[in-house]
Short mmCIF file of all heavy atoms in Angstrom, two decimals:
data_model
loop_
_atom_site.label_atom_id
_atom_site.label_comp_id
_atom_site.label_asym_id
_atom_site.label_seq_id
_atom_site.Cartn_x
_atom_site.Cartn_y
_atom_site.Cartn_z
N MET A 37 -4.45 -11.61 21.53
CA MET A 37 -5.12 -12.85 21.91
C MET A 37 -4.51 -14.04 21.17
O MET A 37 -4.23 -15.09 21.76
CB MET A 37 -6.62 -12.77 21.61
CG MET A 37 -7.39 -11.88 22.54
SD MET A 37 -9.12 -11.56 22.06
CE MET A 37 -9.65 -13.00 21.21
N LEU A 38 -4.31 -13.89 19.88
CA LEU A 38 -3.74 -14.97 19.10
C LEU A 38 -2.31 -15.28 19.52
O LEU A 38 -1.90 -16.44 19.54
CB LEU A 38 -3.80 -14.63 17.60
CG LEU A 38 -5.20 -14.55 17.00
CD1 LEU A 38 -5.14 -14.05 15.57
CD2 LEU A 38 -5.92 -15.88 17.09
N ASN A 39 -1.56 -14.26 19.89
CA ASN A 39 -0.19 -14.46 20.37
C ASN A 39 -0.18 -15.25 21.68
O ASN A 39 0.65 -16.14 21.87
CB ASN A 39 0.51 -13.11 20.54
CG ASN A 39 1.98 -13.28 20.82
OD1 ASN A 39 2.64 -14.11 20.23
ND2 ASN A 39 2.50 -12.45 21.73
N VAL A 40 -1.09 -14.92 22.58
CA VAL A 40 -1.18 -15.64 23.85
C VAL A 40 -1.50 -17.11 23.59
O VAL A 40 -0.91 -18.01 24.20
CB VAL A 40 -2.23 -15.00 24.79
CG1 VAL A 40 -2.56 -15.91 25.95
CG2 VAL A 40 -1.74 -13.65 25.28
N ILE A 41 -2.42 -17.35 22.69
CA ILE A 41 -2.79 -18.73 22.36
C ILE A 41 -1.60 -19.47 21.77
O ILE A 41 -1.31 -20.61 22.14
CB ILE A 41 -3.98 -18.75 21.38
CG1 ILE A 41 -5.23 -18.24 22.08
CG2 ILE A 41 -4.21 -20.15 20.82
CD1 ILE A 41 -6.36 -17.89 21.14
N GLU A 42 -0.90 -18.82 20.85
CA GLU A 42 0.25 -19.43 20.20
C GLU A 42 1.35 -19.74 21.22
O GLU A 42 1.94 -20.82 21.21
CB GLU A 42 0.79 -18.51 19.11
CG GLU A 42 1.83 -19.12 18.23
CD GLU A 42 1.30 -20.21 17.33
OE1 GLU A 42 0.12 -20.15 16.94
OE2 GLU A 42 2.07 -21.13 17.01
N CYS A 43 1.61 -18.80 22.12
CA CYS A 43 2.67 -18.99 23.11
C CYS A 43 2.32 -20.05 24.16
O CYS A 43 3.19 -20.72 24.69
CB CYS A 43 3.00 -17.67 23.81
SG CYS A 43 3.81 -16.48 22.73
N SER A 44 1.03 -20.19 24.45
CA SER A 44 0.61 -21.16 25.46
C SER A 44 0.66 -22.58 24.93
O SER A 44 0.69 -23.54 25.70
CB SER A 44 -0.79 -20.84 25.98
OG SER A 44 -1.76 -21.15 24.98
N GLY A 45 0.64 -22.72 23.62
CA GLY A 45 0.66 -24.04 23.02
C GLY A 45 -0.67 -24.76 23.12
O GLY A 45 -0.80 -25.92 22.75
N ASN A 46 -1.68 -24.08 23.64
CA ASN A 46 -2.99 -24.68 23.83
C ASN A 46 -4.00 -23.98 22.93
O ASN A 46 -4.69 -23.07 23.34
CB ASN A 46 -3.42 -24.59 25.29
CG ASN A 46 -4.70 -25.33 25.57
OD1 ASN A 46 -5.25 -25.97 24.68
ND2 ASN A 46 -5.17 -25.24 26.79
N ARG A 47 -4.08 -24.41 21.71
CA ARG A 47 -4.97 -23.77 20.74
C ARG A 47 -6.44 -24.07 21.01
O ARG A 47 -7.31 -23.41 20.48
CB ARG A 47 -4.61 -24.19 19.33
CG ARG A 47 -3.25 -23.69 18.93
CD ARG A 47 -2.91 -24.12 17.54
NE ARG A 47 -1.55 -23.66 17.24
CZ ARG A 47 -1.12 -23.45 16.04
NH1 ARG A 47 -1.89 -23.66 15.01
NH2 ARG A 47 0.10 -23.03 15.84
N HIS A 48 -6.72 -25.09 21.83
CA HIS A 48 -8.11 -25.46 22.09
C HIS A 48 -8.81 -24.46 23.00
O HIS A 48 -10.04 -24.41 23.02
CB HIS A 48 -8.17 -26.86 22.73
CG HIS A 48 -7.57 -27.90 21.84
ND1 HIS A 48 -8.14 -28.27 20.63
CD2 HIS A 48 -6.44 -28.64 21.96
CE1 HIS A 48 -7.39 -29.19 20.06
NE2 HIS A 48 -6.35 -29.44 20.84
N SER A 49 -8.06 -23.66 23.73
CA SER A 49 -8.69 -22.68 24.63
C SER A 49 -8.83 -21.31 23.98
O SER A 49 -9.22 -20.36 24.63
CB SER A 49 -7.88 -22.55 25.91
OG SER A 49 -6.60 -22.01 25.63
N GLY A 50 -8.53 -21.22 22.70
CA GLY A 50 -8.58 -19.94 22.00
C GLY A 50 -9.98 -19.55 21.58
O GLY A 50 -10.94 -20.28 21.82
#
Side-chain angles (χ1 to χ4, degrees):
M37 287 171 31
L38 293 173
N39 189 41
V40 167
I41 292 166
E42 189 69 30
C43 291
S44 72
N46 186 4
R47 294 180 183 204
H48 300 293
S49 65

